[in-house]
Amino acid sequence: MVAADRVAATVLQGVHGRRRSGQGDAFWQFRPFLPGDPATRIDWRQSAKSDRLFIRETEWEAAQTVALWSDASRSMEWRSAPDRVSKRERADLLLAALAALVLRGGERVRLIGGSGRSHAGRAGLTSLVDTVSAIGKSRSLPPHDPGLPRHARVVLIGDFLAPLEEIHAAIAALAARPVRGHILQVLDPEEETLGEGNRAYSGRVLFEWQGDGSVLVPRVETVRSLYAERLRQHREGLAGIAATAGWGFLTHRTDQPPARALLALWQALAPG
């Protein structure tokens, strides 16, 4: 939670940027009366304090509930070096930091795959972080969540290396509720380049997956360009899936500052 609060403070310094004028009950601000404004919206009490007419604006709630999910599958535990954070550590940090920003703005947060309840306020962040920490190894795509509110906003964080048809089915099921959202793909830098420039990824290399088999590559250098092309095609497929659903698609590497990805997510969630 301390790390999440620190990253969140770096992005917005406590300022909630999702508020704007619109229909609602909560007071937002007074602004000067402009030609074309209906006279019924004039706040006469505020206007009486000066020689100008003022309009009383209420706050528009961009999204009452933001649903978050981070990949807790085994592939997310991988890191290319002992001093580098794992993909899951980075995904969970970004989820908690984004939740801190959303809750600080007075909105509710729901954890897909969690208890099914919505969290609010500072106590809500504590409960949400405890739930994320307690989730063990699970599927690499968000599970079905029948309690997800309609028109909620969704943010999914993971490596999204599953087959594209499986990812498409999961996103289509969420978009049909209907909800709109964003996909953030988190990868280790060695996964993007197949260890280009790293002597550990040269010559004869055995790649192993826990309990899922292995593959021996006689010379990694000879397949690196093919690997890069396959990854590019996979990412294009992810972007296409997101675009079809009306969602956004972002990427992040674990050697990059977490605040960069958090800012991109926060801006993506901002009302248009």
Side-chain angles (χ1 to χ4, degrees), residues 246-271:
W247 287 31
F249 174 66
L250 303 165
T251 62
H252 176 67
R253 291 186 356 179
T254 56
D255 61 338
Q256 297 172 339
R260 181 185 303 176
L262 181 62
L263 177 59
L265 285 173
W266 187 241
Q267 291 175 333
L269 284 174

Side-chain angles (χ1 to χ4, degrees), residues 9 51 72 133 140 217 224 259:
D51 56 356
S133 301
S140 59
V217 180
R224 187 166 282 125

Side-chain angles (χ1 to χ4, degrees), residues 5-22:
D5 276 336
R6 185 181 300 118
V7 176
T10 300
V11 170
L12 282 184
Q13 298 296 323
V15 176
H16 177 51
R18 293 166 55 78
R19 306 171 82 184
R20 73 178 189 186
S21 175

Side-chain angles (χ1 to χ4, degrees), residues 61-83:
E61 295 183 359
Q64 291 187 345
T65 300
V66 177
L68 306 176
W69 174 83
S70 63
D71 186 349
S73 60
R74 286 183 298 181
S75 70
M76 293 293 289
E77 303 293 343
W78 190 74
R79 70 187 80 201
S80 59
D83 59 347

